[in-house]
Amino acid sequence: MSKLMVVNQENDTRIPFLRGMLVKSLQEAGLEFVDAYNVASDLRDDLDDSDEVTTDELRERITEILIEDHPGTVPKQYRKEGIFRENLIVVGGGGSKDPFSRGLHVQRLESCSIASAQCISITRKVHSHLIRNKIREITSRQLTSLTYSVIRKEVDQQHADYYLIWRDFLKNSYPLLLFIGGVPGSGKSTIATEVANRLGIVRTQSTDMLREVMRIMIPEKLSPSLHSSSFKAGKAMHIPELYNNADDHLFYGFQMQSEMVEVACEAVVQRALNENVSMIVEGVHIRPSLLDRLLGRIESSEAVVVPICLAVLNKKRLIRFIKGRFSENKQRRAKRYLENIDAILQLQTMLLSEADNQDIEIIDNKKVADTTLDIINIIIQTIAAKYKDRIAALRKQYGGNNIHEQ
């Protein structure tokens, strides 16, 4: 199937036919998702032999299908709204032209510690403003200015500033290094994935994976703690007489394991710094000692570093999380974790004490959505604090564009 291009003769643009975007538009005209999907699919099949179609021709064909298959208010609503209005074009700083994506716009707002429902509302108002004022082409700078204005009205000045700071942060390609520590079952990988999706970070690393690689390279006889779970490492090795109780054994074994894994962590973080890319590293081995090892490299870069210690302070909730983890992936062997739940809780106490002593943010993970928003809020506040001297210039740059007053 060839790529069908949609030609807008009015503003001399050509964009691919995007069935998903048409489905959303048809839903706004009153169709249920299944019906909207079928209309978009039928239209694409009808145009299978075509290489391009004009927006006027496309509207006529859509209207014909709607009148035939869905008579009533839907065709009228479609004509009234001008449903193929996704033809809005955003012109980048280098002259590139891309369709305005409401999904991408929402995602960028979610990066600024704005609740999802508000993000959707803000994007809808921005999009409606452009349609209402018949703006078919807008520069990325004008779009930023318009969005900033809407956030000020719909949320507050602080979040509007966050939006400008985050956009400036991305524009300058500064790397963000997010470290998420916590015991097994605390939800580190789930939260890391959610934050990565919200912020558009493509590089994530688990310390468990690094440990697996090291296990292949280093025999168990040379490093028994490396080949054990974090909460059982002390049982796998000879413990000096100085460490004479169970808690000491747990701490000593985990300490030995962590020191080895930190070497691999240091290498992947250094690679991210060399390439100037953002990265999320999560795992039980994220501790202040790792941050100390990286301190010199981080200080010499433009990177923003955000360490987080994830906790589950309620034992029953931690057990529930572990059981849920097991139901999603049977290979994780939740039974082994549940049998060692007291050791895991002791390990968590150690990690929390270390984090508290170093003023690292501790978040009690109760709900994924809330925890994700908390972390994004910490990230944007950290960035805002580091680049606070930029905010006045950014307000002047984007607050004076009068496109939002049209």
Side-chain angles (χ1 to χ4, degrees), residues 349-394:
T349 299
M350 297 175 191
L351 294 177
L352 293 179
S353 295
E354 289 183 343
D356 186 59
N357 289 336
Q358 297 296 320
D359 294 326
I360 293 174
E361 291 280 356
I362 298 173
I363 297 179
D364 186 11
N365 185 20
K366 297 178 181 178
K367 294 182 180 180
V368 172
D370 292 344
T371 300
T372 301
L373 191 60
D374 286 344
I375 290 178
I376 290 176
N377 191 40
I378 293 170
I379 290 171
I380 196 66
Q381 287 178 357
T382 303
I383 294 174
K386 184 168 183 176
Y387 298 105
K388 60 183 179 181
D389 294 339
R390 291 275 298 146
I391 189 58
L394 291 172

Side-chain angles (χ1 to χ4, degrees), residues 7 24 33 38 149 172 193 289 294 313 336 349 363 390:
V7 180
K24 292 179 181 178
F33 171 78
N38 289 336
S149 175
N172 287 287
T193 300
S289 55
L294 296 169
L313 300 179
R336 179 165 57 89
T349 299
I363 297 179
R390 291 275 298 146

